[in-house]
Amino acid sequence: MLDTSRRTAFTDEHQLFRDQVRRFFERELIPHLTRWEEEGIIDRDFWTKAGAAGLLCPTVPEDHGGPGLDFGFNAVIDEELAYAGSTAGITLHSDIVADYLVAYGSEEQKAHWLPRMVSGETATAIAMTEPGAGSDLQGIRTSARRDGNHYVINGSKTYITNGQHSDLTIVVAKTDPDAGARGVSLILVEADREGYARGRNLDKIGFHSQDTSELFFEDVRVPITNCLGQEGMGFAYLMNQLPQERLSIACSAQAAAQRAFDEAVKFTKDRKAFGKTVFEFQNTKFTLADLAAKLQVGWAHLDWAIGRHIAGELTAAEASAAKLWHTELQWEACDASLQLHGGAGYMNEYLIARLWRDARVTRIFGGTSEIMKEVVSRSI
């Protein structure tokens, strides 16, 4: 269990909510994790159960069916989910997609979709990456051509979180192929539109229980009113929302790093070699001490970043630095903790194996570590 007794980013209300989240995960998440990992997808009714428990889209305003809370409540869910060893896609739904609707949606879009997102009736995704365009979003080729009062969408997306479950997807598309970044728009596409097709649930190194898919669009017609915000402003909207996305990843990374460390401490204090516990060896103690110091720094920094974001002060460079630092720490902690497990660490029956596998991608999605360094360098 995460020790949150000395955290500075959270109020008593956040702590009470954390207790609620833990109880829900103990009942509805943890008993199913192994099965979900094997099946490559979580149960669809987990979404509605999470919604009924108040765990989806905490920041959605009350007048659109949400609780109207601050990002600290999202951070609580992110941390507890990661500490439990789960990669369920509800964080993308709550921390990323919901805020696009809140920030840029029309009143009609908000009224229709946000209550359904809060309840879990509607699961969501955001489709940015394409087979030929990753971090360089200006290189996307998916098009949304105007035809009367409709867009006709053609193209394909890949590595889409929640791609199998999603009922609504924000599709990043070119509405003006000749306008560069200013020709990019965000289009809401419902999964039941003709010409919309899900590809296979992708076979990944980690994140096994999170459905990650290819999506295909062949002459998909959606009304012009499905444009999210203004046409041509999609790239600017994406840049505006990246700080919260990267902070969300940092929250999960820090909690996963802590869980890896805790698993290593428990294992090494129990495992014996050469007549004493593995923990008693100087190398073990020094490795764990080094990680403990870095985790201590990490929690203090994360609380600072969460506080800055709640106050509306977290910059793009600061969020990128947080994503960079915490995901790199996650990898270091998971790799060192697996090493301390010895051969057991390579066995899937031990949680550390899953934590290690899942850690590898966090330095890639949401912007690679190299891109994070580039963003930070621009602020120097």
Side-chain angles (χ1 to χ4, degrees), residues 41 124-125 159-167 169 191 196-201 210-215:
I41 193 168
T124 62
Y159 311 149
I160 307 306
T161 299
N162 300 335
Q164 295 293 315
H165 277 319
S166 178
D167 306 294
T169 301
Y196 175 102
R198 310 177 199 270
R200 59 196 172 96
N201 193 7
Q210 183 189 101
D211 54 309
T212 308
S213 306
E214 301 165 312
L215 298 178

Side-chain angles (χ1 to χ4, degrees), residues 242-374:
L242 279 175
Q244 180 161 302
E245 176 181 353
R246 289 170 177 167
L247 177 58
S248 173
I249 294 170
C251 291
S252 298
Q254 177 70 22
Q258 184 69 57
R259 182 61 186 269
F261 172 85
D262 292 348
E263 290 297 305
V265 170
K266 181 173 65 175
F267 183 87
T268 57
K269 286 187 174 182
D270 182 65
R271 183 80 166 190
K272 290 188 176 180
F274 304 103
K276 57 183 177 180
T277 66
V278 173
F279 180 81
E280 294 177 83
F281 289 98
Q282 186 182 69
N283 177 70
T284 303
K285 290 188 286 187
F286 279 16
T287 298
L288 291 171
D290 183 55
L291 289 176
K294 290 174 180 175
L295 285 164
Q296 177 179 315
V297 172
W299 286 117
H301 174 263
L302 189 64
D303 281 355
W304 171 85
I306 292 170
R308 290 269 293 168
H309 186 56
I310 291 173
E313 298 171 352
L314 188 71
T315 68
E318 290 168 349
S320 297
K323 198 266 183 187
L324 170 67
W325 199 89
H326 290 279
T327 57
E328 292 289 343
L329 173 61
Q330 179 189 11
W331 177 251
E332 180 183 356
C334 289
D335 196 55
S337 296
L338 188 149
Q339 185 73 18
L340 291 175
H341 277 70
Y346 208 63
M347 299 297 109
N348 284 326
E349 65 187 88
Y350 286 87
L351 176 60
I352 189 61
R354 184 194 308 162
L355 293 169
W356 181 82
R357 290 196 311 270
D358 292 347
R360 187 59 189 88
V361 76
T362 64
R363 294 183 294 156
I364 297 173
F365 64 30
T368 65
S369 289
E370 292 74 23
I371 294 292
M372 296 305 94
K373 292 174 183 177
E374 178 67 24

Side-chain angles (χ1 to χ4, degrees), residues 211-222:
D211 54 309
T212 308
S213 306
E214 301 165 312
L215 298 178
F216 301 97
F217 309 91
E218 184 176 353
D219 292 333
V220 178
R221 295 180 67 86
V222 301

